[in-house]
Amino acid sequence: MARYRSDGAMSGIGALGEFGLIKALTAGLPGASGLLCGPGDDCAIVQMGNTRVLLSCDAMIEEVHFRRDWMTPEAIGRKAAAVALSDIAAMGGAARCLLITLGCPANTETEYLSRLYAGVSDLTRQFDVPVAGGDTVRTLNGIMLDIAVVGEMAPDVEPRYRSGAKPGDIIAVSGYPGSAALGMTALERGDAEQTALIEAHTRPRPRLKEGAWLARQTGVHAMIDVSDGLAQDLGHIAERSGVRVVIEKDKLPVSQEMRSYAPTTGRAPEEYALSGGEDYELAFTIAPDAEADVCAHFTAAFDLPLTCIGTVQEGEPAVLLNGHPITQRGFDHFAAGK
Amino acid sequence: MARYRSDGAMSGIGALGEFGLIKALTAGLPGASGLLCGPGDDCAIVQMGNTRVLLSCDAMIEEVHFRRDWMTPEAIGRKAAAVALSDIAAMGGAARCLLITLGCPANTETEYLSRLYAGVSDLTRQFDVPVAGGDTVRTLNGIMLDIAVVGEMAPDVEPRYRSGAKPGDIIAVSGYPGSAALGMTALERGDAEQTALIEAHTRPRPRLKEGAWLARQTGVHAMIDVSDGLAQDLGHIAERSGVRVVIEKDKLPVSQEMRSYAPTTGRAPEEYALSGGEDYELAFTIAPDAEADVCAHFTAAFDLPLTCIGTVQEGEPAVLLNGHPITQRGFDHFAAGK
């Protein structure tokens, strides 16, 4: 998942970056039979009996990923659950249950925590995903919420990996990535009237129905959720698929709200669309002969914009914008600045 | 799991205590079909296809559950994995994989984290449980390690719930509970020669083989792992089974090391045995006609002491020691003192 602010010192793991760190740490871990997909995709997949079980977890740390004065406890709980469930959506799976690990100082008000859990509960009810268990621990300061999600792949559906993109594919993305980052800016500035952008930041929706539907379309190849910014997440697809991802700037979806608010920050709305992070929309690649069909049926089935923004090409793994490599990347949790 | 120190202020949730908090928070959560066991036991159990999937998670927080100057990073990683796997053992399940959420400040040394993961890896290799995935996040200070475990019940074995104890049952416990708490005291005091006790604290072993074996014995009813202290954990069995747990002080297992070191702390070894916490031994109840058989075969199969310490009786849920209610409870994570 993306981080609302990365202001860590550039020493230690800061220099490696989040993805360098993950690579370094998981390099020595043993694999195993039954582990159909290990670290490196949106979810792990384990064969258990006749079921392919999807597993993922996402932690949110106070003052790193959220601030109490920007979001109600209900919104924090709701977002933590949404972020975790989004990983199931990105594989095309069905969510089955989740576990909540709550960390907080001993002097935390019970009412605050009840409201946090009410937020989790609100979202999980909506998607019919029960809370199966969890852990509560004391922290020295700040709230920590780590949600592990368990899902399954329907027997007749194949998961969509980051490694599935093929040269020639069209790249599509749902919704308006960049809205959440602009919403965070609006919160920082106290621009409370930017309700659509603020809602994008505080109330992301896991695209579970959309992801499960997309995984049933034969032309849909690679899929990922846009948690760290479109350029960075498409970079994961490029790297794992061994392809070049080519985006056209003019095709990037930009909402009215993004178009009018972004200039007040001195940046173009397309910059937010490319590197915003925390949108939890779905980005995926489609075989060219399936594009028209998938897009038409998606739009008919869901109340959600779908935009084709570029193509997959042969070449060294990279993400290009109008032919140039993108240097403006998404959020890196351990790196300094944005 | 138990906490090495609970020195939180007695305000907010401190007054409720960890178990009161869990009760308050989980009260409003929706249940669901397919959820065979929800919050309140060692693991959640979800029916997925033809498999009963076990799920649990345990978080360890720096300066709350561990201190860097007392344990090597390898030992911290190993213990975090052992603690999480212990919950699978307590249901009688088989561990299948785990997810690691790592939180740390941006200036943490990569080598330190690699050693932490090497510790996790060391333990998971030993029990043939792969790391399937996880998350890495930045914290403002201190390391946080949250491990979610996934297991399964063999098709021909029934999980052993905390609610399974029956009046007339014998209560048995493996190993020497209290050793880990004494080991922590030795670490606090710098009594490095207390290697057996210190090892009990720094290198607990999940009793996976033993738990799976016990779950195959028809006479074994309720089971739990001794994470919060024997009295407190047997209290969970008492409460959920609606029975009275009666312990005889003279029967409590006390090792030579406990007997010689406990008096230097001004407390009897039996006090540690009852309320120490973090031993991750198994406590369970056995039908009286199965006792001799189970104990004899257990001792033959495993290099681990097994001790019968009391009986289950009809009555209001309570834990009695030599006929008196136990006021000395285990560690409560959010309460002040011990």
Side-chain angles (χ1 to χ4, degrees), chain B:
Chain B
M1 66 170 291
R3 321 302 159 187
Y4 93 79
R5 182 157 298 233
S6 290
D7 52 359
M10 277 296 280
S11 63
I13 54 173
L16 263 183
E18 183 179 0
F19 302 105
L21 174 67
I22 293 171
K23 231 176 199 173
L25 295 180
T26 55
L29 298 175
S33 66
L35 192 60
L36 305 178
C37 176
D41 219 301
D42 294 287
C43 285
I45 310 183
V46 187
Q47 184 75 47
M48 292 180 76
N50 59 359
T51 306
R52 288 166 300 173
V53 179
L54 301 175
L55 301 165
S56 181
C57 54
D58 274 288
M60 280 177 66
I61 310 281
E62 186 174 349
E63 298 296 325
V64 175
H65 308 114
F66 66 88
R67 272 177 51 177
R68 291 204 207 186
D69 52 349
W70 287 356
M71 287 167 82
T72 64
E74 288 86 353
I76 294 166
R78 205 184 292 119
K79 181 163 178 173
V83 164
L85 289 171
S86 179
D87 286 321
I88 303 284
M91 298 301 268
R96 285 298 308 275
C97 68
L98 47 82
L99 304 178
I100 310 176
T101 299
L102 166 74
C104 64
N107 64 356
T108 310
E109 292 304 321
T110 310
E111 196 215 335
Y112 189 89
L113 298 176
S114 293
R115 292 177 59 191
L116 201 72
Y117 272 62
V120 173
S121 197
D122 179 40
L123 193 102
T124 58
R125 261 179 230 273
Q126 203 176 331
F127 289 93
D128 200 20
V129 184
V131 176
D135 192 18
T136 60
V137 295
R138 186 169 64 84
T139 62
L140 292 183
N141 48 51
I143 286 177
M144 179 272 291
L145 208 54
D146 187 15
I147 297 193
V149 289
V150 180
E152 67 181 297
M153 288 307 305
D156 55 338
V157 175
E158 286 313 305
R160 293 312 196 266
Y161 298 110
R162 297 175 178 187
S163 56
K166 292 178 173 55
D169 280 0
I170 310 295
I171 300 156
V173 65
S174 70
Y176 294 110
S179 302
L182 273 164
M184 191 184 76
T185 301
L187 284 168
E188 280 179 317
R189 292 169 155 192
D191 290 343
E193 74 284 2
Q194 296 296 331
T195 49
L197 299 174
I198 289 171
E199 281 242 323
H201 178 75
T202 59
R203 294 181 71 108
R205 289 179 55 87
R207 301 301 184 188
L208 280 164
K209 276 175 204 148
E210 295 84 350
W213 184 89
L214 285 166
R216 289 191 178 274
Q217 314 307 311
T218 47
V220 173
H221 293 153
M223 190 150 64
I224 195 166
D225 67 331
V226 185
S227 59
D228 294 323
L230 197 48
Q232 184 152 303
D233 288 317
L234 290 176
H236 295 314
I237 287 185
E239 199 172 312
R240 294 184 74 89
S241 299
V243 296
R244 175 171 291 180
V245 163
V246 181
I247 302 170
E248 292 175 51
K249 191 178 164 190
D250 290 351
K251 292 190 174 172
L252 286 168
V254 171
S255 69
Q256 256 187 326
E257 291 84 358
M258 289 170 70
R259 188 162 310 283
S260 66
Y261 192 63
T264 71
T265 71
R267 293 171 66 193
E270 290 83 2
E271 276 188 71
Y272 284 94
L274 275 178
S275 65
E278 297 202 55
D279 292 287
Y280 305 101
E281 295 293 349
L282 295 175
F284 54 96
T285 78
I286 327 173
D289 57 358
E291 181 204 345
D293 204 45
V294 167
C295 291
H297 285 98
F298 184 97
T299 308
F302 305 107
D303 183 24
L304 187 63
L306 188 68
T307 313
C308 295
I309 60 172
T311 52
V312 174
Q313 298 180 8
E314 280 187 35
E316 283 294 300
V319 181
L320 305 186
L321 181 70
N322 288 0
H324 302 288
I326 296 181
T327 50
Q328 171 77 42
R329 300 295 293 257
F331 290 88
D332 186 324
H333 173 206
F334 291 108
K338 201 179 100 181

Side-chain angles (χ1 to χ4, degrees), chain A:
Chain A
M1 66 169 292
R3 322 299 158 192
Y4 91 80
R5 178 155 301 230
S6 289
D7 52 0
M10 277 296 282
S11 66
I13 54 172
L16 264 183
E18 182 178 0
F19 302 105
L21 174 66
I22 293 172
K23 230 176 199 172
L25 295 179
T26 54
L29 297 174
S33 66
L35 192 59
L36 305 179
C37 176
D41 219 300
D42 294 287
C43 286
I45 311 184
V46 188
Q47 185 76 48
M48 292 180 76
N50 59 0
T51 306
R52 289 166 299 174
V53 179
L54 301 174
L55 300 165
S56 181
C57 55
D58 275 289
M60 280 175 67
I61 309 281
E62 186 173 349
E63 298 297 325
V64 175
H65 307 112
F66 66 88
R67 272 176 52 178
R68 290 205 207 186
D69 52 349
W70 288 355
M71 286 168 82
T72 63
E74 288 86 353
I76 295 165
R78 205 186 291 119
K79 180 162 179 174
V83 165
L85 289 171
S86 178
D87 287 321
I88 303 284
M91 298 301 267
R96 285 297 308 277
C97 67
L98 46 82
L99 304 178
I100 310 175
T101 299
L102 167 74
C104 64
N107 65 356
T108 311
E109 292 304 321
T110 309
E111 196 215 334
Y112 189 89
L113 299 175
S114 292
R115 293 178 57 192
L116 202 72
Y117 272 62
V120 174
S121 196
D122 179 39
L123 194 102
T124 58
R125 261 179 230 273
Q126 202 176 330
F127 290 92
D128 201 20
V129 184
V131 176
D135 192 19
T136 60
V137 294
R138 186 167 66 84
T139 62
L140 292 183
N141 49 48
I143 286 177
M144 179 273 290
L145 208 53
D146 187 14
I147 298 194
V149 290
V150 180
E152 67 181 298
M153 288 308 303
D156 54 340
V157 176
E158 286 314 303
R160 292 314 196 265
Y161 298 109
R162 296 176 177 185
S163 56
K166 291 178 173 53
D169 281 0
I170 309 295
I171 300 156
V173 65
S174 69
Y176 294 109
S179 303
L182 273 165
M184 192 184 76
T185 301
L187 284 168
E188 281 179 316
R189 294 169 155 193
D191 291 342
E193 74 284 2
Q194 296 297 333
T195 49
L197 299 174
I198 289 172
E199 280 241 324
H201 179 74
T202 59
R203 293 182 72 107
R205 289 178 56 86
R207 302 300 184 188
L208 281 164
K209 275 175 204 148
E210 294 85 350
W213 184 88
L214 285 166
R216 290 191 177 275
Q217 313 308 310
T218 46
V220 173
H221 293 154
M223 190 151 62
I224 195 167
D225 67 332
V226 185
S227 58
D228 294 325
L230 197 48
Q232 185 153 304
D233 289 316
L234 290 177
H236 296 314
I237 287 185
E239 199 171 313
R240 294 184 76 88
S241 298
V243 296
R244 174 170 290 180
V245 164
V246 180
I247 302 171
E248 292 175 51
K249 191 178 163 192
D250 291 350
K251 292 191 175 173
L252 286 168
V254 172
S255 69
Q256 255 188 327
E257 289 84 359
M258 290 169 71
R259 189 162 310 282
S260 66
Y261 192 64
T264 70
T265 71
R267 293 172 65 194
E270 289 83 3
E271 277 189 70
Y272 283 95
L274 274 178
S275 64
E278 296 203 57
D279 293 287
Y280 305 101
E281 294 293 349
L282 294 175
F284 54 96
T285 78
I286 327 174
D289 58 358
E291 180 204 344
D293 204 44
V294 167
C295 291
H297 285 98
F298 185 97
T299 308
F302 305 106
D303 182 26
L304 186 63
L306 187 68
T307 313
C308 293
I309 60 171
T311 52
V312 175
Q313 299 180 7
E314 279 186 37
E316 282 295 298
V319 181
L320 305 186
L321 181 70
N322 289 0
H324 301 288
I326 296 181
T327 50
Q328 170 77 42
R329 301 295 293 257
F331 290 88
D332 186 323
H333 173 205
F334 292 109
K338 199 181 104 180

